[in-house]
Amino acid sequence: LKVAIGLEHDQPAHNVASMRATFTPTAMARVLSLMLLAAFASTTKAVSASRVEAVRKMIAAKSLAKNGLPDPTCANGVISLKDGDGPQACCAGYCGECSDYPTCNTVRGQNSTNACCKSEVLKMKCGGGAPANVCLKSCEEAVPPCVLASGEVFTTPDPSARTAGADCNEAVTAWRSKADAAVEAGSKPPAA
């Protein structure tokens, strides 16, 4: 083990005082590289999870837009926090958050000012002074980025709420037992 990580191995093993770990520069470099690798791996897991969610929202929004369906509750975007009496903004799903954070205008290396910056999304509302060819419609008519209806506070769903995914395994078992019963009933000869 000492040789594997680069400890000096010329010390007698029977002498307890000499068993202290004396790291060579090579050993320290190996330990440092392992620590950096572990830190990078934990960071990429968090980044990839948020990236997967952003891609899922983007695909769902494109599907709604393709079918001409609106997103009135901003299910496929990112909702801004309620601020005063004005409407809430629904930014594009890839934004990560819907506020005026420092890098909201360059998300994913592109010009995302009118898609990710809350104040700009609200300024681009149709009928609010933005040109008609680039204005953002209400979420009742369009997909994110859009402007949510005024007077209503939209929030994200409660993560502990019951969903279809919560009982998925029970649903599979129930379906299989019903399917087995149907096959069994179909294999019996009809009663005369």
Side-chain angles (χ1 to χ4, degrees):
L1 177 66
K2 286 181 172 182
V3 175
I5 61 171
L7 294 176
E8 292 183 17
H9 48 62
D10 58 347
Q11 300 169 353
H14 64 277
N15 186 350
V16 176
S18 66
M19 289 181 65
R20 64 181 170 80
T22 308
F23 286 101
T24 63
T26 306
M28 286 192 278
R30 287 180 186 163
V31 170
L32 181 60
S33 64
L34 288 174
M35 288 173 36
L36 289 173
L37 183 62
F40 178 73
S42 65
T43 304
T44 56
K45 286 180 184 176
V47 170
S48 65
S50 62
R51 174 93 171 150
V52 168
E53 181 64 15
V55 169
R56 185 202 63 79
K57 285 185 174 189
M58 185 175 62
I59 291 170
K62 284 183 178 182
S63 175
L64 286 175
K66 180 180 175 184
N67 294 320
L69 301 172
D71 187 8
T73 60
C74 192
N76 298 308
V78 182
I79 302 173
S80 69
L81 293 174
K82 183 71 173 163
D83 186 24
D85 294 332
Q88 288 176 276
C90 176
C91 296
Y94 64 83
C95 295
E97 67 178 271
C98 190
S99 65
D100 292 324
Y101 56 99
T103 58
C104 69
N105 55 354
T106 57
V107 174
R108 298 165 103 191
Q110 63 185 1
N111 182 3
S112 58
T113 305
N114 295 331
C116 299
C117 299
K118 174 187 171 184
S119 59
E120 295 300 319
V121 170
L122 293 174
K123 283 181 192 174
M124 294 298 294
K125 180 179 181 180
C126 289
N133 62 335
V134 292
C135 71
L136 298 176
K137 296 180 181 179
S138 165
C139 291
E140 294 172 353
E141 305 171 36
V143 295
C146 55
V147 180
L148 292 159
S150 295
E152 191 171 348
V153 178
F154 294 89
T155 58
T156 55
D158 181 13
S160 62
R162 183 173 180 223
T163 63
D167 65 347
C168 184
N169 291 333
E170 289 82 20
V172 169
T173 306
W175 182 87
R176 286 185 179 158
S177 64
K178 288 179 184 179
D180 290 342
V183 169
E184 186 178 317
S187 63
K188 292 181 182 177

